[in-house]
Every structure is written in structure tokens, then in C-alpha cells.
Amino acid sequence: MEAALQHRSQIEAGLRLALKRDEFELHAQVQVDSDHRPIGAEALLRWRHPERGLVAPVEFIGLAEDLGLIVPIGQWVIERAAAQLAAWQGQALLGRLTLAVNVSARQLHDPGFVAMVRRAVATHGIDPGLLKLEITESAVLNDINEVVGLMQALGESGVRFSMDDFGTGYSSLQYLKRLPLSQLKIDRSFVNDIATDPNDQAIVRTIIAMAHTMNLDVIAEGVETELQRSLLGAAGCTRFQGYLIGRPVPVGEFEALARSLLERRRDAR
Ligand code: C2E
Ligand code: MG
Ligand code: MG
Ligand code: MG
């Protein structure tokens, strides 16, 4: 326990300095449609720790949230994502890709959030419709009115929202229908067992049918096998993300990855 505490306080000290030392980097994981065409990416944060190497978000996001550091760190992520969209703008293939950014509850409830996102969009002159914010059900539970309000405000600016890890939280359909979302993201846990668990298969079908009725698009995360992808496709899913299609890569390598996916697709025909 003492070791765990010591570990935590070391991480904490490092985390406080990480922004100043420019130790964060964005990785991107590709998303494709039923035709294997790249349609977007999810931005995933990594911490390049001077001694520990590349640190995954599970090891520091929770702590950053507890310390309130997620607000400036999240701002850095949005800023970098907007810069990346600006770099892709006008390029064949890359110019129409969406980039999804994960947003913690703590960031959503920060009073400067809407203005910060608008500023990033304006500063980089990007199409706001290409920026997608991933929120979770728990982020909405605290104060749904506040969240609906900020989603509407950003929605008027053209920014879109996706419900991440859908089906794992405690939000009710009563909540869901009030949120101005454009996408549901089926949680990896349902995808994982879709080939072996009839209940998961039924849940996935239901999520997809409901989303389509509500005019939302649906993406499945954590797709690792061809069988999973084909079962998802049979259930009506048309967007996919997961190791089967591509692992997260440093954003600088993303362009090459997206192009190679396109070429493989051409070769397959
Ligand atoms: P998430 O948003 O649900 O992201 C998906 C996670 O699943 C990523 O883990 C991704 O690398 C992993 N993944 C993708 N495909 C597969 C697959 O086929 N199989 C398996 N087993 N895993 C897959 P990662 O990058 O470690 O991120 C973990 C979580 O950390 C994210 O879950 C998100 O909640 C959070 N996170 C990441 N970046 C940020 C950020 O910039 N801000 C905030 N607030 N949270 C972030
Ligand atoms: Mg996500
Ligand atoms: Mg997710
Ligand atoms: Mg997940």
C-alpha cells in the first residue's frame, strides 16, 4: 500500500509538470465504413514519461481528473486535434476525415469549455463538423440540463457529439432522447463477446436499431476479428474501429496508415 501511494505521488508530481515539459502526445486510431474506407479517427492521449516511457491513459487520466489537471490537459488535446484537422484540410482523402476527442465530465462542467472549443475551431479555421466530442453516460448524470445546454451551444457551432462506451453506464433512455448526439459508440465489451454470447448479439442489434430510429449513426469500438466485424455488419453496423482495422498510431504516422488502407482496398478489388 505504501508503494502504491508512493507510485501515485510520483505520477502526480510528474503529471503537474508534463504539460510544461511538453510530454503529451496524441495517437490516432482509424475508423472505417463497411467498404473499409477510412472515415475518421479517434484521438487517444499518451504521456511520454522521461523514465517510464509511453504511459497509457488508464494510468493517469483518473488522477488528472481528481487533481483537476484534466481541464488544462484536455484543452491541450482539443487544441492539438484542431491543429491536426487543419493540417489535413484540403488534402485528398484526409480532408474529409473526422477526428473524435474524448472529453471527461470534469471538462464538460468547466465554465470555460464551450468558449475554449469554439476558440480552437476558430483559431485553426477548421470545419467544426469534423470535430467530434466523445462523452460518456456518467458525464451526463450529474447535471443533464447543463450538459444539454452546452451540447446545444456547441452544436449550433457545428461540433458533433458521440456517446462513448454506450451501454455500460447508468443513463436511462429518458436521458438519451434529450441529448443532441450524432453518434452512439457501442462499447467494446459487447463487441468482444458478440460471436459467443447471444445476449451481447441481441444487445448490439437493439442498440443499432434504436440509434437508427433516433437518426444517430453507430460505430462499434474494439473490433478485433473478422467474425466480429461481419456479425456487427449483419446487425446493421456500418462504422468500425479496433485492432482488426488498425492500432492507434502517433498522429504523424496516421496519414501513411490511412493511405495504405485505401490502397489495400483498391488492390482487393
Ligand atoms: P475509449 O475512449 O473507450 O478509447 C478506446 C480504447 O480502446 C483505447 O485505449 C484504444 O487504444 C483501445 N482499443 C482500440 N481498439 C481496440 C481493440 O480492438 N481491442 C482492445 N482491447 N482495445 C482497443 P486507450 O488509448 O488506452 O484509452 C483508454 C481510455 O482513456 C479511453 O477509452 C478514454 O476513455 C481515455 N482517454 C484517452 N485519451 C483521452 C483524452 O485525451 N482525454 C480524456 N479525457 N480521456 C482520454
Ligand atoms: Mg473514446
Ligand atoms: Mg470507448
Ligand atoms: Mg471503451
Side-chain angles (χ1 to χ4, degrees):
M1 176 139 156
E2 208 171 294
L5 278 176
Q6 202 184 352
H7 176 77
R8 190 182 150 101
S9 71
Q10 268 173 11
I11 295 275
E12 179 176 332
L15 207 48
R16 291 188 187 282
L17 294 169
L19 265 181
K20 224 180 291 171
R21 293 181 175 164
D22 199 23
E23 288 170 357
F24 290 113
E25 51 186 74
L26 278 193
H27 286 214
Q29 185 176 31
V30 71
Q31 303 173 332
V32 297
D33 67 13
S34 312
D35 267 347
H36 308 275
R37 224 188 324 252
I39 51 171
E42 176 174 9
L44 295 161
L45 186 61
R46 303 288 182 258
W47 178 15
R48 180 75 63 184
H49 192 279
E51 285 120 42
R52 293 171 201 273
L54 207 57
V55 183
V58 284
E59 297 202 42
F60 66 89
I61 293 282
L63 186 57
E65 286 170 348
D66 293 347
L67 299 170
L69 288 171
I70 196 65
V71 172
I73 293 172
Q75 179 172 352
W76 181 90
V77 173
I78 300 249
E79 171 62 29
R80 286 293 310 132
Q84 196 57 52
L85 281 168
W88 290 345
Q89 209 160 40
Q91 291 196 52
L93 164 66
L94 297 168
R96 290 200 313 276
L97 297 180
T98 58
L99 188 55
V101 171
N102 293 285
V103 176
S104 296
R106 186 68 200 267
Q107 293 173 261
L108 277 185
H109 295 289
D110 182 78
F113 183 73
V114 170
M116 181 275 284
V117 175
R118 284 188 178 144
R119 206 162 46 235
V121 167
T123 305
H124 293 280
I126 57 167
D127 173 356
L130 299 179
L131 180 64
K132 198 168 270 177
L133 301 181
E134 293 195 1
I135 61 173
T136 57
E137 293 168 72
S138 60
V140 178
L141 282 177
N142 296 329
D143 187 344
I144 182 158
N145 292 326
E146 188 190 337
V147 174
V148 167
L150 75 88
M151 288 174 77
Q152 278 166 348
L154 283 174
E156 277 159 22
S157 308
V159 174
R160 304 203 194 148
F161 288 86
S162 177
M163 182 63 86
D164 203 356
D165 304 337
F166 184 68
T168 60
Y170 296 99
S171 70
S172 66
L173 299 179
Q174 195 67 35
Y175 272 35
L176 186 67
K177 75 166 189 194
R178 290 192 50 201
L179 297 175
L181 290 163
S182 77
Q183 182 178 73
L184 296 184
K185 196 166 202 184
I186 303 173
D187 189 66
R188 178 167 95 214
S189 59
F190 302 117
V191 173
N192 196 49
D193 295 333
I194 191 171
T196 48
D197 187 337
N199 286 334
D200 282 340
Q201 209 173 114
I203 289 168
V204 165
R205 281 184 187 281
T206 306
I207 292 175
I208 293 166
M210 182 183 68
H212 288 158
T213 309
M214 294 172 82
N215 260 325
L216 304 176
D217 71 56
V218 187
I219 185 165
E221 69 173 2
V223 184
E224 294 182 352
T225 69
E226 281 295 350
L227 182 57
Q228 288 168 349
R229 174 161 52 188
S230 73
L231 289 170
L232 285 161
C237 189
T238 58
R239 293 155 203 255
F240 310 89
Q241 177 183 343
Y243 295 163
L244 173 70
I245 301 117
R247 297 208 167 231
V249 297
V251 279
E253 292 168 26
F254 183 81
E255 178 172 347
L257 177 105
R259 290 195 193 289
S260 84
L261 279 176
L262 260 195
E263 270 152 33
R264 212 186 307 162
R265 198 176 144 261
R266 247 196 326 264
D267 293 344
R269 274 188 309 192

